[in-house]
Amino acid sequence: MKLSVAIAGQEAMPNAFVVFRGVKESIIKAHALGYDGVELALKRPDEVTRTELAQWLGENHLEVSAISSGQVFAARNLYFTDENTEHRAELYKTFCDFIDLASEFGSLVNIGRTRGPIAGRDQALVERLFLDMAHKVADHAEKRGVDLILEPVNRYEIDFINNLDECAALLKKVNRRNFVMMPDVFHMNIEDDRIGESFIRNKEYVRYVHFADTNRHAPGDGHMNWDEIFHALEEIGYTGWTTAEILPYPDPDTAAKRTVDFLRETYGSFYR
Ligand code: LER
Ligand code: MN
């Protein structure tokens, strides 16, 4: 497995789930701390230029693990299940641009809260709106060799697709090889019956994993059963990214360092 940390641009909203802000500064810090990669939490595709990004990554021997899109929902209110035609067109354009960027960096684009809420509407209508957009972006992603990763998110943030079983049922309907799953153990702790068993049941879809402890602090700083998580990931043969998407407590540098120290010291054999 490889270890990454979620970062954002300087202008990210205060509530973005990242430890570091400022793409260049974050890449330098992530490398110094011993991460293998960074996940770019972007609001807009042009927040970072390809040339600069390639240069900063090269100088610091880091990869982009994935591009994540939570701020497209949180800051721009764009989402897959919106009925408004103009908003749908803007969302589609943003995702195509993210996919083009991912074709050079990381090959993965996340759909977390950008799937949108049910918000009292008929569930069948919401699913139709989701599937329509999912198929369009999957078509574009296929041409670029990019996978889309749908993230189950807990009920306090969104009311559509909260656990891995619900996500797998929707992915069956999407029925595209490049439309898979990104479990986040913070959300799984709230929503899934058993974290290990849920990973194993839904193994065919698991393509990328978010790590945080039960309080969304650094892994090791809460009461998450990390043995259960690592053993389940080992059992399903997972060799991909584990990305820390954590709150910057007690401060960004300490949170990012504690993550690396805990995971490399306690679970170092999984990262070779
Ligand atoms: C939000 O809680 C989250 O986990 C993000 O990765 C998805 O928007
Ligand atoms: Mn997440």
Side-chain angles (χ1 to χ4, degrees):
M1 294 182 217
K2 288 189 285 187
L3 185 57
S4 167
V5 61
I7 64 163
Q10 265 325 338
E11 64 279 21
M13 289 173 78
N15 62 357
F17 300 111
V18 294
V19 268
F20 294 141
R21 284 147 198 276
V23 177
K24 183 180 180 185
E25 302 87 313
S26 304
I27 288 174
I28 292 169
K29 282 189 171 191
H31 167 63
L33 287 168
Y35 286 92
D36 306 305
V38 286
E39 176 183 305
L40 298 179
L42 296 182
K43 198 188 294 188
R44 297 182 183 280
D46 57 6
E47 257 176 271
V48 55
T49 69
R50 285 166 162 74
T51 327
E52 283 182 326
L53 181 57
Q55 186 190 331
W56 301 332
L57 292 166
E59 285 168 2
N60 291 284
H61 316 287
L62 283 195
E63 295 173 60
V64 169
S65 57
I67 292 168
S68 58
S69 60
Q71 292 181 73
V72 173
F73 177 73
R76 296 171 61 198
N77 200 30
L78 296 174
Y79 50 96
F80 278 50
T81 60
D82 197 335
E83 290 159 66
N84 178 291
T85 315
E86 280 162 32
H87 296 172
R88 290 180 78 71
E90 202 180 334
L91 175 80
Y92 175 67
K93 167 95 177 68
T94 297
F95 263 77
C96 286
D97 291 344
F98 279 175
I99 288 163
D100 293 348
L101 187 63
S103 72
E104 289 175 48
F105 302 98
S107 307
L108 294 171
V109 176
N110 140 278
I111 301 153
R113 289 164 295 164
T114 36
R115 64 171 142 294
I118 300 176
R121 295 176 295 171
D122 173 35
Q123 170 117 12
L125 165 73
V126 171
E127 273 196 15
R128 268 202 311 281
L129 290 163
F130 179 84
L131 290 173
D132 169 70
M133 186 63 74
H135 289 145
K136 284 187 187 133
V137 294
D139 285 344
H140 186 75
E142 199 184 339
K143 287 185 218 141
R144 300 282 185 269
V146 168
D147 287 352
L148 295 150
I149 40 179
L150 179 61
E151 178 179 12
V153 170
N154 80 74
R155 70 189 71 183
Y156 306 107
E157 293 182 44
I158 203 124
D159 63 358
F160 183 40
I161 319 297
N162 302 124
N163 61 43
L164 270 56
D165 294 334
E166 289 171 0
C167 188
L170 188 60
L171 291 173
K172 272 199 186 75
K173 293 181 190 171
V174 175
N175 195 25
R176 294 291 177 91
R177 286 161 60 95
N178 67 339
F179 215 104
V180 282
M181 196 191 291
M182 167 182 184
D184 178 330
V185 298
F186 171 77
H187 301 302
M188 291 178 82
N189 175 60
I190 299 170
E191 299 291 349
D192 290 61
D193 53 355
R194 298 270 181 282
I195 296 185
E197 287 169 25
S198 188
F199 267 124
I200 291 164
R201 262 198 320 270
N202 296 292
K203 64 180 177 193
E204 65 182 292
Y205 293 113
V206 177
R207 181 76 170 79
Y208 189 94
V209 181
H210 267 168
F211 270 8
D213 219 306
T214 46
N215 45 11
R216 219 167 200 174
H217 292 195
D221 284 359
H223 53 88
M224 191 74 87
N225 184 341
W226 290 99
D227 282 356
E228 179 184 351
I229 291 169
F230 276 95
H231 289 132
L233 291 176
E234 185 173 45
E235 190 169 330
I236 68 174
Y238 185 75
T239 55
W241 288 99
T242 59
T243 295
E245 187 195 42
I246 55 176
L247 298 172
Y249 291 123
D251 60 76
D253 290 352
T254 310
K257 181 169 174 4
R258 282 203 332 214
T259 299
V260 180
D261 289 349
F262 173 74
L263 293 174
R264 296 229 189 260
E265 275 165 28
T266 320
Y267 298 102
S269 61
F270 293 89
Y271 287 99
R272 284 187 232 298

